[in-house]
Amino acid sequence: MKYGRIIQKPRVKFFEVANGVFAGISPYRGISWANAGFINKGEGLVYDTFFDLFHAREMREAFIEVSNGGSPAYVVNSHYNSDHAWGNKVFEDACIIMHKEASRERLTENIAWMDNVIRRGKDSPESTSGERFFAAEFEGFDLEGVEWVLPNIEIKDDINIRLGDTEVMIYNVAPAHSDSDLLLWMPKEKVLFAGDVVFNGCTAYSEEGTLNWVKVLDRIIDEIKPEIVVPGHGAICGLNFVKEQRDYLLNLISEFNKHYNDEIDALSLTKQIDISRFLHWIQPERLYVTVDILLKSKRGLPPLPIWNEVPAKLEDMKAFLAGKYGNQIKPWDPMSVWKE
Ligand SMILES: [Zn+2]
């Protein structure tokens, strides 16, 4: 892919995907290593703000460089998740726009708890196994100064934002990855900022949400037809990857239904699922988490994972996949996403 300017910061690399439109790509090391982006047109807009203020400040600096001292008038968050909205404090002078459901959903994430987990580190005997797992995933982040910034505008329908002579459409596509998903589409530039509606390694939260998620991917493929897609995590991509993501979810749904019975546990079910076409994704064993959620939601149980049990299950799954698929599993390279 051909890019315009490239701005390299220590944590984030900014690729100009259309004139004045930048994708901010983080190395994809694991959970929370998210992307964002900004548009230097009209009054300026930021889409997502990363997990901590250090990453968000790099985007603010890049915006200042490109706009000769400006600051963006708008922030749009793709959804509520910490790794897409906790940098908002850096842009709190902007008008912050979120989906109406984000304020409810975000209550499942606790800044003080996560900050503590990161500070104690991945080897702390004071931490539970679930907390040590998160600390390892979050190594490289620092939540100092993070505060939840309330949105100025909450939407539950599509809106258009005019940035000078550039039209930006915000599409409400929830529920898909979450109940608060907003896509940003630039029709003239054919650039789609997709948040976590598109990313390899995705987790689904309910059968209903997953089925709707497939419909959203269909709409991207058949109607929106972007040329450039900035995913919530991982490398800038195009429709080929959106199709691959749809296949992943369809495969998950059909395999889940094929192997489900009332007695089966999540780990046994995950092991029966054929994921041979997705072994190049980051941490293919993550599939366990989605299966666990789908299984519990089917049985009417609270669907969120019991995090203290997750690390051992993922280890088990990883060893199982290594045995089943051998060297078909390629080691994941977090820096591959920075390739030009
Ligand atoms: Zn994310």
Side-chain angles (χ1 to χ4, degrees):
M1 199 178 285
K2 275 218 173 346
Y3 299 109
R5 288 165 284 182
I6 287 178
I7 303 172
Q8 177 73 67
K9 299 283 180 193
R11 297 171 179 79
V12 183
K13 189 167 179 175
F14 296 90
F15 297 84
E16 190 176 28
V17 294
N19 187 24
V21 182
F22 287 80
I25 305 296
S26 297
Y28 192 14
R29 300 185 197 283
I31 297 169
S32 281
W33 292 86
N35 299 327
F38 67 85
I39 302 169
N40 177 39
K41 288 175 182 288
E43 294 176 282
L45 180 148
V46 158
Y47 182 80
D48 279 349
T49 57
F50 303 108
F51 187 41
D52 69 12
L53 304 194
F54 294 89
H55 284 73
R57 284 187 196 116
E58 290 191 355
M59 186 154 67
R60 184 164 197 120
E61 283 167 25
F63 190 94
I64 289 169
E65 280 168 46
V66 169
S67 65
N68 294 318
S71 72
Y74 303 100
V75 170
V76 176
N77 290 110
S78 64
H79 62 298
Y80 76 100
N81 271 152
S82 51
D83 47 334
H84 300 264
W86 281 11
N88 281 7
K89 182 86 183 156
V90 167
F91 299 98
E92 65 177 339
D93 50 345
C95 173
I96 296 179
I97 301 167
M98 290 187 205
H99 191 288
K100 181 117 186 62
E101 293 299 322
S103 296
R104 170 186 60 80
E105 281 190 297
R106 71 104 183 169
L107 296 175
T108 57
E109 296 182 332
N110 184 315
I111 297 168
W113 174 81
M114 245 187 234
D115 182 39
N116 237 317
V117 165
I118 293 173
R119 281 181 201 292
R120 288 203 300 263
K122 66 178 169 28
D123 301 315
S124 170
E126 288 170 58
S127 293
T128 65
S129 59
E131 288 170 339
R132 286 196 293 271
F133 166 75
F134 278 124
E137 292 285 315
F138 299 159
E139 245 182 5
F141 292 104
D142 182 338
L143 298 183
E144 190 187 316
V146 169
E147 285 172 35
W148 181 257
V149 182
L150 285 170
N152 301 91
I153 299 179
E154 297 178 306
I155 61 172
K156 53 180 170 41
D157 293 305
D158 300 344
I159 60 166
N160 289 15
I161 301 176
R162 189 159 280 291
L163 301 170
D165 59 3
T166 299
E167 193 182 18
V168 164
M169 343 262 280
I170 308 297
Y171 290 140
N172 164 32
V173 293
H177 167 71
S178 72
D179 288 342
S180 55
D181 298 303
L182 298 177
L183 305 178
L184 186 152
W185 168 233
M186 304 184 74
K188 209 173 80 199
E189 292 77 4
K190 298 204 178 301
V191 175
L192 179 73
F193 285 89
D196 282 356
V197 169
V198 177
F199 78 107
N200 94 54
C202 62
T203 308
Y205 288 97
S206 68
E207 193 175 10
E208 188 202 347
T210 310
L211 291 171
N212 196 52
W213 192 347
V214 170
K215 284 188 198 150
V216 173
L217 295 170
D218 280 337
R219 183 177 162 203
I220 294 173
I221 294 161
D222 300 327
E223 288 173 39
I224 302 179
K225 297 182 179 164
E227 284 174 5
I228 295 166
V229 178
V230 182
H233 304 256
I236 298 167
C237 59
L239 275 187
N240 280 349
F241 182 75
V242 180
K243 290 175 185 165
E244 187 176 318
Q245 169 113 38
R246 179 181 59 183
D247 289 347
Y248 180 88
L249 294 176
L250 287 172
N251 180 62
L252 166 68
I253 294 165
S254 73
E255 288 284 300
F256 181 92
N257 289 332
K258 190 161 102 192
H259 300 294
Y260 180 84
N261 64 57
D262 286 342
E263 279 78 46
I264 200 162
D265 64 273
L267 193 60
S268 312
L269 180 45
T270 314
K271 286 177 178 173
Q272 293 187 48
I273 289 181
D274 177 3
I275 56 158
S276 52
R277 288 183 293 131
F278 306 97
L279 298 173
H280 57 290
W281 282 30
I282 189 171
Q283 299 162 335
E285 68 274 11
R286 278 193 199 184
L287 181 67
Y288 162 76
V289 177
T290 296
V291 171
D292 181 52
I293 291 169
L294 291 182
L295 186 134
K296 285 192 283 199
S297 92
K298 198 176 178 77
R299 292 175 182 167
L301 303 166
L304 274 186
I306 299 164
W307 287 109
N308 282 333
E309 294 176 2
V310 168
K313 298 279 168 61
L314 288 178
E315 278 308 312
D316 186 322
M317 198 58 216
K318 199 174 165 181
F320 174 82
L321 291 177
K324 182 171 176 185
Y325 295 108
N327 55 12
Q328 282 175 266
I329 302 175
K330 302 278 175 264
W332 176 259
D333 173 10
M335 303 312 293
S336 60
V337 303
W338 274 7
K339 276 203 197 110
E340 290 171 25

